[in-house]
Amino acid sequence: MPEINPIRETTDEARTLGKTLVSDARFGAIGVIDPETAMPMVTRVAIGQAPNGTPLTLISDLSSHTKALKADPRCSLLLGEPEDRGDPLTHPRLTLQCKAHFIAHSDPAYKRMRGHYLTTHPKAKLYIDFADFSFALFTIEDAHLNGGFGKAFQLTPADLA
């Protein structure tokens, strides 16, 4: 019996859904590799977008996932939350494979990112200027869209641009 490929051919509808999941994200799960144990670690982070739409997070040097990203910038983001009703596995979600790039307070880009981020995360004003915080900007290298049951797509960075 021939093996069935569950990945569908990428469509404009899949691209639009992927872009929407990125642009609507306000939080998500980040997967990193713990540098001390080499074990995977997943935690929840706030997600925003740079002015060009690239996903980013405001991140503290005190967190273990920041230490992990500084040791190895490769990471994975899971975006998309289940709605109030129905099986959570039937709701769309997007897994991004990325590399993190840090933007410190001293970087001129920080001020631009700060203003843009606060438009979608106004409560971050309480801590955004703390010295231990920086932005981690995520360069997307690959993307896997699950648009619901039986709707799997592989997307490229260009599909999400």
Side-chain angles (χ1 to χ4, degrees):
M1 179 182 244
E3 188 174 317
I4 298 172
N5 183 357
I7 307 299
R8 293 183 176 190
E9 187 173 328
T10 303
T11 64
D12 287 340
E13 182 180 355
R15 288 181 190 94
T16 298
L17 179 56
K19 290 176 191 177
T20 299
L21 288 167
V22 172
S23 67
D24 288 354
R26 296 298 168 260
F27 55 90
I30 187 168
V32 297
I33 300 295
D34 184 309
E36 294 179 20
T37 64
M39 295 293 293
M41 178 177 62
V42 178
T43 191
R44 183 172 298 217
V45 293
I47 297 291
Q49 292 78 37
N52 68 358
T54 300
L56 59 75
T57 191
L58 181 63
I59 196 165
S60 170
D61 287 338
L62 303 176
S63 69
S64 55
H65 52 278
T66 301
K67 292 174 184 144
L69 287 172
K70 288 188 174 184
D72 182 347
R74 296 175 301 159
C75 62
S76 183
L77 294 173
L78 176 62
L79 307 177
E81 290 295 314
E83 296 171 16
D84 293 336
R85 297 174 15 163
D87 183 340
L89 297 180
T90 63
H91 297 279
R93 61 236 183 236
L94 180 67
T95 300
L96 302 174
Q97 293 174 311
C98 305
K99 285 194 179 165
H101 166 76
F102 288 88
I103 302 170
H105 286 265
S106 59
D107 189 318
Y110 189 90
K111 187 174 183 179
R112 261 190 335 275
M113 297 296 173
R114 180 188 185 281
H116 191 74
Y117 188 82
L118 287 174
T119 62
T120 55
H121 296 78
K123 291 185 180 191
K125 190 171 185 173
L126 298 170
Y127 50 85
I128 197 168
D129 294 321
F130 290 177
D132 61 300
F133 278 85
S134 59
F135 284 108
L137 188 66
F138 299 107
T139 302
I140 300 169
E141 302 218 341
D142 203 8
H144 305 271
L145 172 65
N146 185 322
F149 193 75
K151 298 177 186 172
F153 301 91
Q154 184 156 359
L155 302 176
T156 66
D159 289 326
L160 298 172

